[in-house]
Amino acid sequence: MCAWWMNLGSIALGTSALLVAAIAALLLTLARSPERSSPAARERAARLLLVGIACQCAHFAEEFLTRFYERLPALLGRSAWSSDFFVVFNVFWIGVWVLCALGVRAGFRPAFFPVWFFAIAMVGNGIAHPALAIAARGYFPGLVTAPVVAIAGLALGRELLRLTHG
């Protein structure tokens, strides 16, 4: 299998929706401040984030076991990603989000960017996976857990809106 950097075009296309989520997350981070939030509210948000991360771990496991890293690029007419890339990409983000739970508890504004990104991306997963299943005319990797991560993303996003002020 070729190294992941040899497959950048396929990876860029397959993850392009995440760029939209990242831009929205950056705008929300810049526009909304957690400075006046209470420690209890920040604790609630951090706990919701951790629950969401647990849901995302289940989603990632489903995607990995059903070979999302091969099926999505194939659906887009591109070459498969390596399983190593897919695992490193997901584990990296899970690690970032776990660390950000500490930042959210402390009210550290830069920690909110990855958390907003998480909430938006999870809602996006809830929309994208059923759409991919329709396009594939059957089960598509990640479909079973997509509604769960979408609900977690919506709950976290709602809590972030309550917690921050614009």
Side-chain angles (χ1 to χ4, degrees):
M1 214 172 275
C2 41
W4 68 268
W5 59 86
M6 303 285 288
N7 209 5
L8 264 172
S10 178
I11 292 168
L13 179 61
T15 60
S16 60
L18 296 177
L19 177 59
V20 175
I23 292 167
L26 179 61
L27 293 174
L28 285 163
T29 303
L30 294 173
R32 303 186 62 85
S33 171
E35 290 171 6
R36 295 181 293 172
S37 60
S38 72
R42 292 193 307 268
E43 179 67 27
R44 246 187 340 270
R47 287 176 190 259
L48 268 174
L49 172 59
L50 292 173
V51 169
I53 293 167
C55 295
Q56 173 57 23
C57 288
H59 184 65
F60 164 53
E62 179 191 0
E63 287 181 330
F64 181 76
L65 293 172
T66 57
R67 305 177 88 80
F68 179 85
Y69 54 91
E70 292 175 353
R71 298 271 317 271
L72 178 65
L75 187 66
L76 300 173
R78 307 298 290 219
S79 54
W81 308 337
S82 75
S83 59
D84 291 344
F85 164 78
F86 189 69
V87 169
V88 168
F89 181 84
N90 278 277
V91 170
F92 168 80
W93 278 108
I94 290 166
V96 167
W97 294 322
V98 167
L99 289 174
C100 285
L102 298 172
V104 166
R105 286 180 68 205
F108 183 57
R109 192 172 187 170
F112 282 75
F113 167 70
V115 178
W116 279 113
F117 173 72
F118 177 82
I120 294 164
M122 294 307 96
V123 173
N125 263 304
I127 297 166
H129 283 280
L132 290 166
I134 290 167
R137 297 181 182 189
Y139 172 80
F140 198 83
L143 180 63
V144 173
T145 52
V148 176
V149 295
I151 291 167
L154 285 169
L156 179 60
R158 183 176 176 198
E159 192 63 32
L160 289 171
L161 286 172
R162 286 184 186 149
L163 178 68
T164 59
H165 305 85

